[in-house]
Amino acid sequence: MGKYTCGLDAAIAVMGGKWKGLILFALQDGPVRFGELRRAVPGISERMLILQLREMEASGLVHCEVYHQVPPKVEYSLTGFGHSLNTAMAPLGEWGEEHMERIEALP
Amino acid sequence: MGKYTCGLDAAIAVMGGKWKGLILFALQDGPVRFGELRRAVPGISERMLILQLREMEASGLVHCEVYHQVPPKVEYSLTGFGHSLNTAMAPLGEWGEEHMERIEALP
DNA sequence: CTGTATCCGAAATGATACTG
DNA sequence: CAGTATCATTTCGGATACAG
């Protein structure tokens, strides 16, 4: 007895909420440091970014590499699994671009 | 000054939450009655289904056709806009199918 | 720089009962 | 059949302060 009724259901559960897709997108070109990532996802709070990253690590989408330096440096990157999800979401991003005007006009 | 930072951001805003994608999917093959739709989206409550449908109507994704009969009959269907979004989400559904086992195993 | 901890208000969702 | 109304609860998310 699966938790999910179909592939779409499962996919939505994994990339839930309003942030994970954008984080995936921001990481698609290689490792990004925490502060950089924060700027790359406008509007997200420090707290939410950490929470989402931790969930994405737990899901196996994201890898976290810690450099024990002073000052600290931490880089986040996509796993193969994360890349595959990001690829699957690309058409959604294109759809959003194409219909941006219409979407902006919504209430 | 747009509300959205990129196409993906806009798309996520439109199909937000955990239900809209599944409703889109359930409507992809033609008009569906309310009760039918409810059964097609397992786990959704009557209340949430209505709320989501109203939002999707407001976004122009869904059309609602009311037949003034006794007993009442109401059919929901996708607009062209809704179909285009459903198409853009198809790869996500396939991704979910492919990785279902792994996703099911997550905490 | 990269986090953690706490608090609090807002929003999402579920349960239940009721209506035309 | 297709909704509405109301209430309770759960989750989300922002602000702030603090720590290694």
Side-chain angles (χ1 to χ4, degrees):
Chain A
M1 289 233 338
K3 296 189 248 182
Y4 305 109
T5 58
C6 67
L8 190 56
D9 193 5
I12 290 175
V14 169
M15 54 151 295
K18 82 179 179 183
W19 298 118
K20 295 202 179 81
L22 296 171
I23 294 174
L24 235 44
F25 183 75
L27 293 178
Q28 72 183 335
D29 295 321
V32 179
R33 294 185 59 166
F34 182 81
E36 235 175 311
L37 192 51
R38 210 184 148 186
R39 286 185 292 276
V41 184
I44 197 169
S45 67
E46 212 165 69
R47 170 187 145 86
M48 286 312 295
L49 181 52
I50 288 285
L51 287 176
Q52 300 300 307
L53 284 169
R54 294 291 176 259
E55 284 178 24
M56 293 167 80
E57 271 187 85
S59 307
L61 296 170
V62 163
H63 172 74
C64 176
E65 187 74 33
V66 180
Y67 298 86
H68 296 279
Q69 311 172 348
V70 179
K73 169 176 168 179
V74 180
E75 281 187 337
Y76 293 89
S77 56
L78 294 188
T79 61
F81 192 47
H83 268 112
S84 70
L85 178 52
N86 185 59
T87 300
M89 297 211 321
L92 202 56
E94 287 161 27
W95 181 89
E97 292 292 353
E98 275 172 41
H99 302 280
M100 181 67 83
E101 234 178 276
R102 179 167 185 176
I103 298 172
E104 293 266 9
L106 291 175
Chain B
M1 290 233 336
K3 295 189 250 183
Y4 306 108
T5 59
C6 67
L8 189 57
D9 192 5
I12 291 175
V14 169
M15 52 150 299
K18 81 178 180 184
W19 298 118
K20 295 203 179 80
L22 296 171
I23 294 174
L24 235 45
F25 183 76
L27 292 178
Q28 72 183 334
D29 295 321
V32 180
R33 295 184 59 167
F34 181 81
E36 239 176 308
L37 192 50
R38 210 185 147 185
R39 286 183 291 277
V41 184
I44 197 169
S45 67
E46 213 164 67
R47 171 187 146 84
M48 285 312 297
L49 181 52
I50 289 285
L51 287 177
Q52 300 300 307
L53 283 170
R54 294 292 176 258
E55 284 179 25
M56 292 167 81
E57 270 187 86
S59 307
L61 296 169
V62 162
H63 172 73
C64 175
E65 186 74 33
V66 180
Y67 299 86
H68 296 280
Q69 310 172 348
V70 178
K73 170 176 169 180
V74 179
E75 281 186 337
Y76 292 89
S77 56
L78 295 188
T79 61
F81 192 48
H83 269 111
S84 70
L85 177 52
N86 185 60
T87 300
M89 297 211 320
L92 201 56
E94 287 161 29
W95 181 88
E97 291 292 354
E98 275 172 42
H99 301 279
M100 180 68 83
E101 233 178 277
R102 180 166 183 176
I103 298 173
E104 292 266 8
L106 293 174

